[in-house]
Amino acid sequence: VTAPLPAGIDEMPQAILVIRAAPGDATAPVDQALLSAVHTAALLGALGYNHQHPTGPVRLTSVTTDGREIHYFEGDVFPPGVRPAYALTNGWMVFASSPEVITRFAETPPKPAAPDDAAYPVVRVSLKAWRAYLKDRRDALAAALAEKNQLTVKEMGKRLDDLIGALEFVDRVQIDRRVGAGATVVTLTVRTARPLKKAGRD
């Protein structure tokens, strides 16, 4: 989950989830079977939602970019800039908050393979970036969230300020996983916003 691009006007963060989907057997490609199952679930989900909300339906459509077909939802139910999308690209099943996020993922060159004993990030959270996002878009977020949660803009603004204050002390949290000879080591790294003071001696 990342903040919107600086040049964009959308207020919502961008999100992406990728799952390795190797083709497998040529006679029964696993990746295509997975895509077909996801597409069927998306169609049924759209039909079910539209049946219950006939006045505000969602549409499942697609766009083809560089030979890559990306399916996505559109509708007034989604926040500005959010068009849930999915696609099969470069051996990955990708789910994202918009087709543009999938396109950027597909256009990013893959990194060289890491050694077998290298540490792989499992979770990486930049609280510093979240603080910047909340501060830069405080007023717009307060107005949108207040309407959604039936609160006053002032009350929602106070809640956002409290959240920003709670995030002031830590810049980054990361969990890494390293697999070695018969063992798995999980490491938690916390980077504080300010250096920790050393305890004084008596």
Side-chain angles (χ1 to χ4, degrees):
V1 180
T2 61
L5 296 177
I9 61 174
D10 301 328
E11 302 298 339
M12 298 302 297
Q14 297 176 339
I16 185 171
L17 170 68
V18 296
I19 301 173
R20 187 64 177 170
D25 191 345
T27 61
V30 177
D31 55 348
Q32 294 299 324
L34 176 60
L35 176 61
S36 178
V38 171
H39 190 56
T40 299
L43 286 171
L44 293 176
L47 289 174
Y49 180 88
N50 292 342
H51 179 71
Q52 297 181 0
H53 304 83
T55 60
V58 297
R59 298 173 298 278
L60 180 60
T61 184
S62 64
V63 61
T64 301
T65 305
D66 296 331
R68 183 186 313 107
E69 186 175 24
I70 302 175
H71 304 272
Y72 63 94
F73 291 96
E74 287 185 320
D76 295 337
V77 65
F78 302 114
V82 175
R83 293 180 296 163
Y86 60 92
L88 185 65
T89 177
N90 299 333
W92 298 93
M93 187 70 221
V94 187
F95 304 88
S97 55
S98 72
E100 292 77 16
V101 177
I102 294 181
T103 298
R104 286 197 298 273
F105 170 81
E107 293 175 348
T108 302
K111 295 182 179 180
D116 293 338
D117 61 346
Y120 292 89
V122 178
V123 176
R124 180 184 296 159
V125 182
S126 175
L127 300 182
K128 181 178 180 180
W130 276 108
R131 289 199 306 269
Y133 168 74
L134 293 173
K135 289 179 180 179
D136 292 345
R137 295 170 170 81
R138 178 192 179 278
D139 293 342
L141 285 172
L145 293 174
E147 180 180 1
K148 182 177 180 61
N149 294 278
Q150 299 181 348
L151 297 172
T152 64
V153 175
K154 182 178 180 181
E155 174 62 23
M156 184 54 66
K158 182 179 182 302
R159 293 190 180 188
L160 288 177
D161 291 338
D162 291 342
L163 177 58
I164 293 171
L167 299 177
E168 288 289 346
F169 304 101
V170 177
D171 277 352
R172 185 170 180 168
V173 176
Q174 181 166 329
I175 299 177
D176 294 318
R177 174 175 175 266
R178 183 191 301 272
V179 179
T184 298
V185 179
V186 177
T187 304
L188 170 65
T189 303
V190 177
R191 182 181 298 173
T192 58
R194 299 179 182 85
L196 297 177
K197 294 183 179 180
K198 296 182 179 179
R201 295 182 178 179
D202 294 334

